[in-house]
Amino acid sequence: MTFAKLAARPRQNTEAELKAFDTVCERLAGFNTELSFEWIDGFLAALAAGPRLPPAEEWLPALCGDAFERAFADPEDHAQALATLEARLSVLVQQLDAETLMDDPEAQRLDPLMSEWTDEDRAKLAQEDTLDAEEAHAVQTGALWAVGFLDGVEAFPAVWDEPPDEESALAFGQLMDQVAALAIPPGSEEYIEHVAQYYPQGEPTRDELIAEACWAVQDLRLYWVDHAPKPATRRVEPQPGRNDPCPCGSGKKYKKCHGAAA
């Protein structure tokens, strides 16, 4: 008897971890209003989707600037807040594990953190003069998350290396387009062009756009399996024999000149 292989359920943060993450993001937003939990989650997802994960001493200042040091000046507080961000990043890394994705390519494993915005919510923003009508219309579920993801990619150009050939660049660009689409205001000229290019069957729902963006992030993670930047090959110059003339031009044998120090 044979049994079908069941895909492991992707790891999720616990309620306590999510609450701690939200608290850290709120404190960071007190020093930089752009650091919302959605934007931060998108940025961390970009780290998890890349070919290699930068160390915390590199991604933390890229993520927060000086806001983290200002918000968490106490060493113990600093360590706890960093551990909270790393706990969320660890989950995203597991959700985007390339081997697991390849084992079950039909499973959507990425579970982003996004606030859900409705037409009523946007109307309320406009009525309360929080935003004008155009700005309120641009407030869409997943938009901030997508901006965070794109900012995370842009922050590490050496990690997100340019595709090596035209065909790969096209595929890469199409995947990035699916993520960027979440940040395009519906009804705009750019949005209409995106729909015409990728959805000839008709305009997608917001949920469909979000699903496509998640699939694109998973495919970007798999893209790096085949296209990860290769480390530079180290070239070692051949050493002269002990009795050969020393290459420095002294006229002595190598063993009695620079070879002696070697």
Side-chain angles (χ1 to χ4, degrees):
M1 182 180 295
T2 59
F3 294 90
K5 183 178 180 180
L6 297 178
R9 185 175 183 274
R11 157 104 155 88
Q12 303 289 329
N13 286 104
T14 65
E15 289 189 15
E17 287 174 334
L18 290 175
K19 184 176 180 179
F21 180 77
D22 190 51
T23 299
V24 168
C25 294
E26 285 183 356
R27 289 181 61 176
L28 288 172
F31 293 89
N32 184 341
T33 55
E34 295 182 356
L35 297 176
S36 68
F37 80 92
E38 287 183 87
W39 185 91
I40 290 176
D41 194 63
F43 193 104
L44 294 177
L47 298 179
R52 65 176 179 83
L53 184 63
E57 56 266 25
E58 291 183 15
W59 62 255
L60 187 60
L63 173 73
C64 307
D66 65 350
F68 193 88
E69 302 300 329
R70 295 164 63 197
F72 305 101
D74 177 75
E76 184 175 346
D77 208 17
H78 182 287
Q80 186 173 358
L82 177 57
T84 296
L85 294 179
E86 289 179 324
R88 177 56 185 164
L89 178 57
S90 175
V91 166
L92 290 167
V93 167
Q94 291 182 52
Q95 290 179 355
L96 294 174
D97 175 66
E99 184 175 348
T100 306
L101 292 174
M102 287 187 290
D103 284 344
D104 189 7
E106 301 302 317
Q108 183 172 305
R109 294 178 53 82
L110 179 62
D111 188 12
L113 302 180
M114 299 176 179
S115 289
E116 184 174 355
W117 291 91
T118 65
D119 289 339
E120 291 74 16
D121 295 328
R122 285 183 282 274
K124 186 176 180 180
L125 289 176
Q127 290 171 358
E128 295 176 350
D129 293 329
T130 304
L131 301 173
D132 62 33
E134 184 177 347
E135 291 172 333
H137 182 65
V139 177
Q140 298 286 333
T141 304
L144 279 176
W145 188 92
V147 172
F149 185 93
L150 298 174
D151 287 345
V153 171
E154 187 177 345
F156 292 95
V159 174
W160 288 77
D161 200 12
E162 292 185 5
D165 55 72
E166 185 176 348
E167 183 179 352
S168 297
L170 177 61
F172 182 86
Q174 290 173 340
L175 293 174
M176 292 297 293
D177 283 349
Q178 298 299 334
V179 179
L182 294 181
I184 305 173
S188 66
E189 183 177 343
E190 185 180 2
Y191 181 82
I192 293 171
E193 291 176 355
H194 178 84
V195 171
Q197 180 178 356
Y198 293 103
Y199 299 93
Q201 71 277 15
E203 183 176 354
T205 65
R206 194 67 190 177
D207 285 343
E208 288 172 339
L209 279 176
I210 292 171
E212 285 302 320
C214 290
W215 283 116
V217 173
Q218 293 185 182
D219 287 342
L220 282 167
R221 181 69 191 95
L222 293 177
Y223 170 91
W224 290 118
V225 174
D226 295 325
H227 299 89
K230 301 296 189 295
T233 302
R234 182 182 176 187
R235 297 186 62 184
V236 180
E237 295 295 332
Q239 294 294 323
R242 286 173 49 80
N243 293 313
D244 291 340
C246 188
C248 73
S250 66
K252 299 179 180 179
K253 291 184 178 181
Y254 177 67
K255 67 182 179 182
K256 293 187 176 181
C257 192
H258 283 78

